[in-house]
Protein backbone atom coordinates (compact mmCIF):
# COMPACT_ATOMS: atom_id res chain seq x y z
CA UNK A 1 0.00 0.00 0.00
CA UNK A 2 1.38 3.40 -0.99
CA UNK A 3 0.91 5.83 1.89
CA UNK A 4 0.86 9.62 1.60
CA UNK A 5 4.01 11.46 2.58
CA UNK A 6 3.66 13.95 5.49
CA UNK A 7 3.44 16.91 3.09
CA UNK A 8 0.78 15.26 0.90
CA UNK A 9 -1.88 14.31 3.48
CA UNK A 10 -4.44 17.02 2.77
CA UNK A 11 -6.06 15.66 -0.41
CA UNK A 12 -6.51 12.01 0.70
CA UNK A 13 -7.79 13.14 4.10
CA UNK A 14 -10.41 15.38 2.50
CA UNK A 15 -11.44 12.57 0.16
CA UNK A 16 -11.83 10.20 3.09
CA UNK A 17 -13.90 12.74 5.02
CA UNK A 18 -16.23 13.27 2.05
CA UNK A 19 -16.64 9.51 1.62
CA UNK A 20 -17.48 8.99 5.31
CA UNK A 21 -20.06 11.78 5.23
CA UNK A 22 -21.74 10.23 2.19
CA UNK A 23 -22.47 6.95 3.99
CA UNK A 24 -25.72 8.11 5.60
CA UNK A 25 -27.62 11.25 6.63
CA UNK A 26 -26.56 10.61 10.23
CA UNK A 27 -22.88 10.39 9.21
CA UNK A 28 -23.31 13.65 7.32
CA UNK A 29 -24.66 15.36 10.45
CA UNK A 30 -21.74 14.05 12.52
CA UNK A 31 -19.19 15.33 10.04
CA UNK A 32 -20.78 18.65 9.13
CA UNK A 33 -20.64 20.70 12.30
CA UNK A 34 -20.25 23.90 10.27
CA UNK A 35 -23.83 23.74 8.97
CA UNK A 36 -25.18 23.33 12.51
CA UNK A 37 -23.20 26.29 13.84
CA UNK A 38 -24.26 28.46 10.92
CA UNK A 39 -27.87 27.67 11.80
CA UNK A 40 -27.25 28.54 15.48
CA UNK A 41 -25.68 31.87 14.56
CA UNK A 42 -28.70 32.65 12.37
CA UNK A 43 -31.18 32.36 15.25
CA UNK A 44 -32.43 35.72 16.45
CA UNK A 45 -33.99 37.00 19.63
CA UNK A 46 -35.46 34.28 21.79
CA UNK A 47 -35.87 31.53 19.20
CA UNK A 48 -34.00 29.38 21.75
CA UNK A 49 -34.12 29.84 25.51
CA UNK A 50 -31.11 31.59 27.05
CA UNK A 51 -29.74 29.11 29.56
CA UNK A 52 -27.20 29.66 32.34
CA UNK A 53 -23.55 30.16 31.40
CA UNK A 54 -21.96 26.71 31.80
CA UNK A 55 -19.43 24.62 29.94
CA UNK A 56 -21.20 22.79 27.11
CA UNK A 57 -20.00 20.10 24.71
CA UNK A 58 -20.73 22.27 21.67
CA UNK A 59 -20.93 19.21 19.39
CA UNK A 60 -23.23 16.96 21.37
CA UNK A 61 -24.13 14.20 18.91
CA UNK A 62 -24.53 10.50 19.73
CA UNK A 63 -21.03 9.53 18.62
CA UNK A 64 -19.48 11.99 21.07
CA UNK A 65 -20.84 10.08 24.05
CA UNK A 66 -19.54 6.76 25.29
CA UNK A 67 -17.90 4.77 28.10
CA UNK A 68 -14.83 6.35 29.72
CA UNK A 69 -12.51 4.94 32.32
CA UNK A 70 -11.10 7.11 35.11
CA UNK A 71 -7.71 6.97 36.82
CA UNK A 72 -9.11 4.60 39.47
CA UNK A 73 -10.46 2.06 36.97
CA UNK A 74 -14.14 3.04 37.23
CA UNK A 75 -16.22 3.20 34.03
CA UNK A 76 -19.10 5.55 33.25
CA UNK A 77 -20.89 6.84 30.17
CA UNK A 78 -19.89 10.46 29.61
CA UNK A 79 -19.26 13.07 26.92
CA UNK A 80 -16.03 11.89 25.29
CA UNK A 81 -15.19 14.45 22.59
CA UNK A 82 -14.81 18.07 23.65
CA UNK A 83 -13.08 19.80 20.72
CA UNK A 84 -15.88 22.40 20.60
CA UNK A 85 -16.39 22.83 24.32
CA UNK A 86 -16.86 26.37 25.64
CA UNK A 87 -19.01 28.36 28.03
CA UNK A 88 -22.29 28.80 26.25
CA UNK A 89 -26.00 28.05 26.14
CA UNK A 90 -26.88 24.50 27.32
CA UNK A 91 -29.87 24.61 24.95
CA UNK A 92 -27.38 24.25 22.08
CA UNK A 93 -26.31 20.82 23.35
CA UNK A 94 -29.97 19.79 23.54
CA UNK A 95 -30.66 20.85 19.95
CA UNK A 96 -27.52 19.12 18.65
CA UNK A 97 -28.38 15.88 20.47
CA UNK A 98 -32.00 16.06 19.27
CA UNK A 99 -30.85 16.48 15.66
CA UNK A 100 -28.51 13.49 15.98
CA UNK A 101 -31.27 11.31 17.43
CA UNK A 102 -33.76 12.44 14.77
CA UNK A 103 -31.34 11.58 11.96
CA UNK A 104 -30.60 8.20 13.56
CA UNK A 105 -34.37 7.55 13.67
CA UNK A 106 -34.74 8.49 10.00
CA UNK A 107 -31.82 6.24 9.09
CA UNK A 108 -33.55 3.42 10.97
CA UNK A 109 -36.76 3.87 8.90
CA UNK A 110 -38.80 4.71 11.99
CA UNK A 111 -42.06 6.62 11.49
CA UNK A 112 -42.01 10.37 12.04
CA UNK A 113 -44.11 10.19 15.18
CA UNK A 114 -41.21 8.36 16.86
CA UNK A 115 -39.08 11.48 16.52
CA UNK A 116 -41.70 13.47 18.42
CA UNK A 117 -41.75 10.82 21.16
CA UNK A 118 -37.94 10.83 21.26
CA UNK A 119 -37.88 14.58 21.92
CA UNK A 120 -40.45 14.18 24.70
CA UNK A 121 -38.38 11.46 26.33
CA UNK A 122 -35.19 13.41 25.78
CA UNK A 123 -36.55 16.30 27.81
CA UNK A 124 -37.77 13.93 30.53
CA UNK A 125 -34.28 12.44 30.85
CA UNK A 126 -32.56 15.82 30.83
CA UNK A 127 -34.82 17.23 33.54
CA UNK A 128 -34.51 14.08 35.65
CA UNK A 129 -30.74 14.63 35.76
CA UNK A 130 -31.36 17.91 37.58
CA UNK A 131 -33.49 16.13 40.19
CA UNK A 132 -30.96 13.30 40.64
CA UNK A 133 -27.87 15.50 40.85
CA UNK A 134 -27.21 14.63 44.50
CA UNK A 135 -28.43 11.04 44.37
CA UNK A 136 -27.82 7.80 42.51
CA UNK A 137 -28.39 7.53 38.81
CA UNK A 138 -31.78 5.91 38.42
CA UNK A 139 -32.75 5.74 34.79
CA UNK A 140 -33.08 2.86 32.35
CA UNK A 141 -30.18 2.27 30.01
CA UNK A 142 -31.01 1.22 26.44
CA UNK A 143 -29.67 -2.16 25.34
CA UNK A 144 -27.07 -0.56 23.05
CA UNK A 145 -25.64 1.32 26.05
CA UNK A 146 -25.75 -1.75 28.33
CA UNK A 147 -23.91 -3.76 25.68
CA UNK A 148 -21.15 -1.21 25.14
CA UNK A 149 -20.75 -0.71 28.90
CA UNK A 150 -20.34 -4.47 29.43
CA UNK A 151 -17.81 -4.54 26.61
CA UNK A 152 -15.94 -1.56 28.09
CA UNK A 153 -15.68 -3.08 31.58
CA UNK A 154 -14.36 -6.38 30.21
CA UNK A 155 -11.79 -4.97 27.80
CA UNK A 156 -8.04 -5.45 28.25
CA UNK A 157 -4.91 -3.79 26.86
CA UNK A 158 -4.56 -6.58 24.28
CA UNK A 159 -8.06 -5.90 22.98
CA UNK A 160 -7.30 -2.18 22.79
CA UNK A 161 -4.07 -2.89 20.92
CA UNK A 162 -5.70 -5.26 18.46
CA UNK A 163 -8.52 -2.80 17.80
CA UNK A 164 -6.40 0.33 17.50
CA UNK A 165 -3.11 -1.14 16.27
CA UNK A 166 -4.19 -4.42 14.62
CA UNK A 167 -1.70 -6.27 16.82
CA UNK A 168 -0.85 -6.58 20.50
CA UNK A 169 2.89 -6.33 19.76
CA UNK A 170 4.62 -3.05 20.71
CA UNK A 171 4.56 -1.42 17.26
CA UNK A 172 2.16 0.76 15.30
CA UNK A 173 1.65 -0.84 11.87
CA UNK A 174 1.46 1.69 9.06
CA UNK A 175 -1.52 1.32 6.74
CA UNK A 176 -5.06 2.59 6.37
CA UNK A 177 -5.27 4.10 9.86
CA UNK A 178 -1.65 5.08 10.52
CA UNK A 179 0.65 7.05 8.23
CA UNK A 180 4.38 7.85 8.46
CA UNK A 181 5.73 10.87 10.32
CA UNK A 182 8.06 13.56 9.11
CA UNK A 183 11.47 13.99 10.76
CA UNK A 184 10.15 17.17 12.41
CA UNK A 185 7.14 15.32 13.85
CA UNK A 186 9.32 12.51 15.23
CA UNK A 187 11.64 15.00 16.88
CA UNK A 188 8.70 16.98 18.29
CA UNK A 189 7.12 13.86 19.82
CA UNK A 190 10.42 12.87 21.44
CA UNK A 191 10.67 16.34 22.99
CA UNK A 192 7.04 16.24 24.10
CA UNK A 193 7.53 13.05 26.09
CA UNK A 194 10.55 14.48 27.84
CA UNK A 195 8.31 17.14 29.42
CA UNK A 196 7.64 16.47 33.15
CA UNK A 197 3.93 17.40 32.80
CA UNK A 198 3.46 14.79 30.06
CA UNK A 199 5.42 12.16 31.99
CA UNK A 200 3.20 12.78 35.02
CA UNK A 201 0.12 12.13 32.86
CA UNK A 202 1.55 8.75 31.84
CA UNK A 203 2.49 7.68 35.37
CA UNK A 204 -0.80 8.83 36.95
CA UNK A 205 -2.83 5.88 35.66
CA UNK A 206 -2.54 2.32 36.96
CA UNK A 207 -0.68 3.60 40.06
CA UNK A 208 2.56 3.72 38.10
CA UNK A 209 5.64 4.99 39.91
CA UNK A 210 6.48 8.64 39.31
CA UNK A 211 10.03 7.47 38.71
CA UNK A 212 9.04 4.88 36.09
CA UNK A 213 10.97 5.07 32.86
CA UNK A 214 8.85 6.21 29.91
CA UNK A 215 10.13 5.39 26.43
CA UNK A 216 8.62 6.25 23.04
CA UNK A 217 8.46 2.91 21.21
CA UNK A 218 6.63 4.01 18.09
CA UNK A 219 4.48 6.84 16.74
CA UNK A 220 2.39 7.58 13.65
CA UNK A 221 0.00 10.09 12.17
CA UNK A 222 -3.49 8.85 13.08
CA UNK A 223 -6.18 8.99 10.39
CA UNK A 224 -9.18 9.24 12.68
CA UNK A 225 -12.47 11.06 13.11
CA UNK A 226 -14.51 12.90 10.52
CA UNK A 227 -14.97 16.59 11.23
CA UNK A 228 -11.42 16.67 12.64
CA UNK A 229 -9.75 14.97 9.67
CA UNK A 230 -6.91 17.14 8.42
CA UNK A 231 -5.86 18.42 11.85
CA UNK A 232 -2.78 17.13 13.63
CA UNK A 233 -3.53 13.74 15.17
CA UNK A 234 -0.99 11.21 16.39
CA UNK A 235 -0.88 7.84 18.12
CA UNK A 236 2.16 7.30 20.35
CA UNK A 237 3.02 3.91 21.80
CA UNK A 238 4.98 4.10 25.05
CA UNK A 239 6.80 1.58 27.17
CA UNK A 240 6.50 2.33 30.89
CA UNK A 241 8.86 0.76 33.41
CA UNK A 242 11.85 -1.48 33.01
CA UNK A 243 12.06 -3.92 30.12
CA UNK A 244 10.48 -7.23 31.05
CA UNK A 245 8.31 -6.03 33.92
CA UNK A 246 6.91 -2.83 32.44
CA UNK A 247 3.73 -2.24 30.48
CA UNK A 248 2.58 -0.33 27.42
CA UNK A 249 0.28 2.58 26.92
CA UNK A 250 -1.19 4.31 23.88
CA UNK A 251 -1.41 8.11 23.92
CA UNK A 252 -3.64 10.15 21.64
CA UNK A 253 -2.34 13.59 20.60
CA UNK A 254 -4.92 15.86 19.00
CA UNK A 255 -4.72 19.41 17.71
CA UNK A 256 -6.97 21.96 19.38
CA UNK A 257 -8.45 24.65 17.15
CA UNK A 258 -10.70 27.62 17.72
CA UNK A 259 -14.22 26.54 18.62
CA UNK A 260 -16.87 27.30 16.00
CA UNK A 261 -19.74 26.83 18.45
CA UNK A 262 -21.39 30.07 19.70
CA UNK A 263 -20.02 31.19 23.07
CA UNK A 264 -21.40 33.58 25.65
CA UNK A 265 -19.84 37.03 25.78
CA UNK A 266 -18.17 38.37 28.90
CA UNK A 267 -17.23 34.96 30.32
CA UNK A 268 -13.77 33.87 31.36
CA UNK A 269 -12.25 31.01 29.35
CA UNK A 270 -8.65 30.04 28.56
CA UNK A 271 -7.46 31.78 25.40
CA UNK A 272 -5.29 28.82 24.47
CA UNK A 273 -7.51 26.30 22.68
CA UNK A 274 -5.85 23.23 24.19
CA UNK A 275 -6.31 24.67 27.68
CA UNK A 276 -9.95 25.44 26.78
CA UNK A 277 -10.57 21.79 25.85
CA UNK A 278 -8.89 20.61 29.04
CA UNK A 279 -10.96 22.97 31.20
CA UNK A 280 -14.18 21.94 29.48
CA UNK A 281 -13.36 18.27 30.03
CA UNK A 282 -12.77 18.85 33.73
CA UNK A 283 -16.25 20.35 34.07
CA UNK A 284 -18.23 18.09 31.74
CA UNK A 285 -16.41 14.73 31.97
CA UNK A 286 -14.16 14.68 35.05
CA UNK A 287 -13.05 11.09 34.31
CA UNK A 288 -11.59 12.34 31.04
CA UNK A 289 -10.34 15.68 32.35
CA UNK A 290 -8.11 14.04 34.96
CA UNK A 291 -6.42 12.01 32.19
CA UNK A 292 -5.58 14.92 29.89
CA UNK A 293 -2.84 17.52 29.58
CA UNK A 294 -2.53 20.53 27.26
CA UNK A 295 0.77 21.24 25.49
CA UNK A 296 2.39 23.05 22.56
CA UNK A 297 3.53 20.91 19.63
CA UNK A 298 5.02 22.23 16.39
CA UNK A 299 3.81 25.71 17.36
CA UNK A 300 0.22 24.51 17.75
CA UNK A 301 -1.91 23.78 20.79
CA UNK A 302 -2.57 20.07 21.35
CA UNK A 303 -4.08 17.98 24.11
CA UNK A 304 -2.94 14.51 25.10
CA UNK A 305 -4.67 11.63 26.83
CA UNK A 306 -3.78 8.04 27.47
CA UNK A 307 -6.32 5.78 25.84
CA UNK A 308 -7.78 3.15 28.14
CA UNK A 309 -9.33 -0.14 27.01
CA UNK A 310 -12.60 1.14 28.51
CA UNK A 311 -12.79 4.15 26.15
CA UNK A 312 -15.33 3.33 23.48
CA UNK A 313 -17.50 5.29 21.09
CA UNK A 314 -21.25 4.79 21.38
CA UNK A 315 -22.51 3.71 17.97
CA UNK A 316 -26.30 3.92 17.58
CA UNK A 317 -26.78 4.25 13.84
CA UNK A 318 -29.75 1.88 13.88
CA UNK A 319 -32.55 2.24 16.41
CA UNK A 320 -35.41 -0.15 17.01
CA UNK A 321 -38.86 1.22 17.79
CA UNK A 322 -38.59 0.16 21.44
CA UNK A 323 -35.04 1.45 21.84
CA UNK A 324 -35.52 4.90 20.32
CA UNK A 325 -37.27 6.58 23.26
CA UNK A 326 -35.13 4.81 25.87
CA UNK A 327 -31.94 5.95 24.12
CA UNK A 328 -33.18 9.53 23.86
CA UNK A 329 -34.08 9.66 27.55
CA UNK A 330 -30.81 8.14 28.76
CA UNK A 331 -28.41 10.11 26.58
CA UNK A 332 -30.11 13.39 27.50
CA UNK A 333 -29.83 12.32 31.15
CA UNK A 334 -26.04 11.97 30.74
CA UNK A 335 -25.82 15.43 29.16
CA UNK A 336 -28.11 16.86 31.83
CA UNK A 337 -25.84 15.62 34.63
CA UNK A 338 -22.83 17.22 32.93
CA UNK A 339 -24.69 20.55 32.81
CA UNK A 340 -26.35 20.32 36.22
CA UNK A 341 -23.18 19.63 38.21
CA UNK A 342 -21.97 23.11 37.21
CA UNK A 343 -25.03 24.94 38.59
CA UNK A 344 -26.09 25.78 42.09
CA UNK A 345 -29.55 24.74 43.26
CA UNK A 346 -31.24 28.07 42.46
CA UNK A 347 -29.79 28.12 38.92
CA UNK A 348 -30.85 24.53 38.28
CA UNK A 349 -34.41 25.34 39.34
CA UNK A 350 -34.61 28.45 37.16
CA UNK A 351 -33.35 26.49 34.14
CA UNK A 352 -35.89 23.72 34.76
CA UNK A 353 -38.67 26.31 34.87
CA UNK A 354 -37.48 27.85 31.59
CA UNK A 355 -37.45 24.41 29.96
CA UNK A 356 -41.12 23.92 30.84
CA UNK A 357 -42.17 27.07 29.00
CA UNK A 358 -43.30 27.16 25.37
CA UNK A 359 -44.97 23.74 25.22
CA UNK A 360 -48.02 22.93 23.17
CA UNK A 361 -51.01 20.84 24.22
CA UNK A 362 -50.06 18.05 21.81
CA UNK A 363 -46.31 17.67 22.49
CA UNK A 364 -44.62 17.31 25.89
CA UNK A 365 -41.43 18.89 24.55
CA UNK A 366 -40.70 22.57 24.03
CA UNK A 367 -41.94 24.05 20.76
CA UNK A 368 -38.52 25.64 20.20
CA UNK A 369 -36.88 22.21 20.27
CA UNK A 370 -39.37 20.64 17.87
CA UNK A 371 -39.22 23.51 15.40
CA UNK A 372 -35.42 23.56 15.57
CA UNK A 373 -35.22 19.86 14.74
CA UNK A 374 -37.70 20.18 11.87
CA UNK A 375 -35.66 23.01 10.34
CA UNK A 376 -32.34 21.26 10.87
CA UNK A 377 -33.46 17.85 9.57
CA UNK A 378 -34.80 19.46 6.39
CA UNK A 379 -31.61 21.45 5.85
CA UNK A 380 -29.29 18.52 6.55
CA UNK A 381 -31.28 16.10 4.38
CA UNK A 382 -30.93 18.55 1.48
CA UNK A 383 -27.25 19.10 2.27
CA UNK A 384 -26.65 15.33 2.42
CA UNK A 385 -28.19 14.75 -1.01
CA UNK A 386 -26.09 17.53 -2.50
CA UNK A 387 -23.01 16.10 -0.82
CA UNK A 388 -23.69 12.67 -2.29
CA UNK A 389 -24.24 14.10 -5.76
CA UNK A 390 -21.00 16.05 -5.55
CA UNK A 391 -18.72 13.51 -3.95
CA UNK A 392 -20.23 10.02 -4.03
CA UNK A 393 -21.00 10.32 -7.74
CA UNK A 394 -17.77 12.20 -8.40
CA UNK A 395 -19.47 15.14 -10.14
CA UNK A 396 -18.89 18.84 -9.60
Amino acid sequence: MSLPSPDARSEPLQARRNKKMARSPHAYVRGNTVQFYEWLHSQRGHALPVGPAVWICGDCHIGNLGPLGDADGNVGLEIRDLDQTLIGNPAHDLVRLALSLAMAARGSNLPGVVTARMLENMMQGYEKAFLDIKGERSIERPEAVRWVMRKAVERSWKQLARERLSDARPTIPLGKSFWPLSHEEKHGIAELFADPAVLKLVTTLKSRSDAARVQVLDAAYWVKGCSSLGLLRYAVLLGVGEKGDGDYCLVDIKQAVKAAAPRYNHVSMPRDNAQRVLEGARHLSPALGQRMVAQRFLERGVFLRELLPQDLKLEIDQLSLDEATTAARYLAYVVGRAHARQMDEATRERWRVDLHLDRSKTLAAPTWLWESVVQLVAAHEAGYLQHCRKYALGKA
Side-chain angles (χ1 to χ4, degrees):
M1 176 186 293
S2 177
L3 300 177
S5 62
D7 59 354
R9 292 173 182 155
S10 179
E11 187 174 339
L13 285 171
Q14 186 61 46
R16 182 173 295 200
R17 180 174 182 270
N18 290 332
K19 183 177 179 180
K20 290 181 73 171
M21 289 172 61
R23 289 176 181 169
S24 70
H26 193 206
Y28 177 80
V29 167
R30 288 167 60 169
N32 190 16
T33 53
V34 172
Q35 185 172 345
F36 176 70
Y37 299 136
E38 288 176 346
W39 180 86
L40 281 181
H41 284 293
S42 72
Q43 301 305 294
R44 298 182 180 181
H46 296 284
L48 300 178
V50 180
V54 296
W55 285 92
I56 63 173
C57 172
D59 188 19
C60 194
H61 62 73
I62 295 172
N64 279 349
L65 289 93
L68 287 172
D70 65 16
D72 298 321
N74 303 310
V75 182
L77 194 121
E78 304 288 349
I79 299 171
R80 59 186 300 278
D81 191 314
L82 294 151
D83 294 22
Q84 293 290 333
T85 186
L86 42 62
I87 297 178
N89 187 350
H92 294 174
D93 276 356
L94 288 172
V95 174
R96 182 67 168 159
L97 180 60
L99 171 62
S100 180
L101 287 163
M103 296 303 279
R106 290 181 65 77
S108 304
N109 295 320
L110 296 177
V113 68
V114 174
T115 298
R117 297 292 174 250
M118 288 172 75
L119 297 193
E120 291 179 329
N121 279 268
M122 199 184 101
M123 294 308 301
Q124 290 172 12
Y126 184 80
E127 291 172 24
K128 184 170 177 52
F130 283 70
L131 300 173
D132 289 356
I133 191 64
K134 294 182 180 179
E136 295 295 324
R137 302 189 185 196
S138 55
I139 191 167
E140 182 184 359
R141 287 175 171 171
E143 177 55 33
V145 171
R146 290 198 297 270
W147 179 85
V148 78
M149 291 295 286
R150 287 194 300 268
K151 183 179 177 183
V153 170
E154 295 168 357
R155 272 162 56 89
S156 66
W157 156 255
K158 287 187 176 181
Q159 288 171 302
L160 170 67
R162 290 193 180 100
E163 176 187 296
R164 303 290 189 180
L165 309 178
S166 304
D167 202 325
R169 294 176 297 177
T171 58
I172 299 178
L174 300 181
K176 179 181 178 182
S177 297
F178 300 105
W179 293 352
L181 300 178
S182 68
H183 176 75
E184 182 184 27
E185 288 170 328
K186 290 179 182 178
H187 180 71
I189 286 173
E191 285 191 335
L192 197 60
F193 284 90
D195 187 296
V198 175
L199 294 178
K200 183 173 178 59
L201 170 72
V202 175
T203 57
T204 295
L205 298 183
K206 299 183 182 178
S207 300
R208 295 170 178 141
S209 169
D210 290 341
R213 182 188 181 203
V214 178
Q215 181 182 8
V216 176
L217 301 177
D218 206 354
Y221 182 87
W222 199 349
V223 185
K224 184 175 172 59
C226 188
S227 59
S228 61
L229 277 177
L231 302 179
L232 298 185
R233 189 76 182 265
Y234 305 97
V236 182
L237 182 62
L238 303 174
V240 185
E242 297 302 321
K243 187 176 181 181
D245 62 357
D247 64 355
Y248 305 111
C249 71
L250 185 64
V251 173
D252 180 12
I253 303 175
K254 191 174 185 182
Q255 182 180 351
V257 296
K258 183 178 180 181
R263 55 166 289 181
Y264 275 151
N265 296 322
H266 311 299
V267 295
S268 177
M269 291 192 307
R271 297 187 66 179
D272 179 84
N273 285 307
Q275 292 289 349
R276 170 184 54 79
V277 172
L278 177 59
E279 191 66 20
R282 288 171 174 168
H283 283 84
L284 290 162
S285 301
L288 182 59
Q290 67 180 333
R291 294 166 38 203
M292 293 173 62
V293 65
Q295 288 286 303
R296 298 294 295 177
F297 177 76
L298 300 182
E299 300 183 355
R300 297 177 178 89
V302 297
F303 52 95
L304 296 77
R305 66 166 174 164
E306 177 177 352
L307 295 178
L308 295 182
Q310 289 73 36
D311 298 347
L312 290 173
K313 179 182 290 189
L314 183 61
E315 299 284 2
I316 308 183
D317 290 324
Q318 290 292 317
L319 290 164
S320 69
L321 190 61
D322 293 336
E323 194 174 44
T325 54
T326 307
R329 188 185 307 114
Y330 184 76
L331 296 182
Y333 180 80
V334 171
V335 175
R337 286 183 66 92
H339 291 170
R341 70 165 65 98
Q342 302 178 62
M343 306 177 196
D344 59 31
E345 187 172 354
T347 304
R348 289 196 297 268
E349 184 57 29
R350 284 196 301 270
W351 183 224
R352 286 186 62 243
V353 170
D354 288 346
L355 290 172
H356 275 274
L357 301 176
D358 190 28
R359 300 197 180 191
S360 70
K361 296 180 179 179
T362 58
L363 184 68
T367 302
W368 58 263
L369 183 62
W370 172 254
E371 292 181 349
S372 296
V373 169
V374 170
Q375 292 175 29
L376 284 163
V377 167
H380 281 76
E381 287 276 13
Y384 171 67
L385 291 177
Q386 292 288 14
H387 180 86
C388 290
R389 180 190 68 83
K390 187 174 182 180
Y391 296 108
L393 296 180
K395 296 181 180 180

